[in-house]
Amino acid sequence: MSATTGRSAEATAVRPFTVKFPEADLEDLRARIAATRWPEKEGVDDASQGVQLATIQAVARYWETEHDWRKCEAKLNSVSNFITEIDGLDIHFVHVRSKHEDALPLVVCHGWPGSVIEQMKIVDLL
């Protein structure tokens, strides 16, 4: 049995997309990281009880003070970004044409909690 959902063609159209991290959102993120209430240090000297406090604090410190959001934004915007709707969800994808006329088309996917950012390092290689 099939059903028509009445979804407009606009909803599923492929739309150009530009990555933009609003400065207010980045400031809010940094403030929330800085305001983290940390638990006591774990009672063991290994990761048998989960991520160690020092490790997660180092990761948080990186996101708060070291990650270059504008560099990341520029890297993502160096390729063509698009959005389309699939099964009611907006899906972000990039499209990069090969320099080689006879190149085989390739689809590279990532899983959760991955990101297209992780795939950017292979774009130029392909």
Side-chain angles (χ1 to χ4, degrees), residues 3 7 16-17 34 44 51 60-61 65 68 71 73-74 82 93 112:
R7 187 180 332 174
F17 176 72
V44 296
V51 177
R61 188 170 34 260
T65 63
D68 188 338
K71 181 178 177 183
E73 194 175 69
F82 299 93
F93 65 96
W112 177 258

Side-chain angles (χ1 to χ4, degrees), residues 39-94:
E40 293 179 17
K41 185 180 180 310
E42 62 280 348
V44 296
D45 292 331
D46 57 31
S48 63
Q49 295 180 344
V51 177
Q52 293 180 296
L53 181 61
T55 301
I56 199 64
Q57 285 176 324
V59 170
R61 188 170 34 260
Y62 169 79
W63 286 109
E64 180 188 359
T65 63
E66 297 174 38
H67 183 69
D68 188 338
W69 289 96
R70 298 301 169 215
K71 181 178 177 183
C72 179
E73 194 175 69
K75 179 67 174 172
L76 288 169
N77 286 323
S78 72
V79 296
S80 299
N81 290 267
F82 299 93
I83 291 181
T84 191
E85 184 182 303
I86 300 175
D87 291 340
L89 294 174
D90 276 343
I91 303 297
H92 168 227
F93 65 96
V94 300

Side-chain angles (χ1 to χ4, degrees), residues 6-57:
R7 187 180 332 174
S8 72
E10 282 183 25
T12 58
V14 172
R15 307 175 310 273
F17 176 72
T18 301
V19 176
K20 176 74 174 108
F21 305 127
E23 191 59 37
D25 290 354
L26 298 178
E27 290 171 8
D28 176 64
L29 175 63
R30 290 181 193 111
R32 287 184 287 127
I33 292 171
T36 299
R37 291 173 41 201
W38 297 105
E40 293 179 17
K41 185 180 180 310
E42 62 280 348
V44 296
D45 292 331
D46 57 31
S48 63
Q49 295 180 344
V51 177
Q52 293 180 296
L53 181 61
T55 301
I56 199 64
Q57 285 176 324

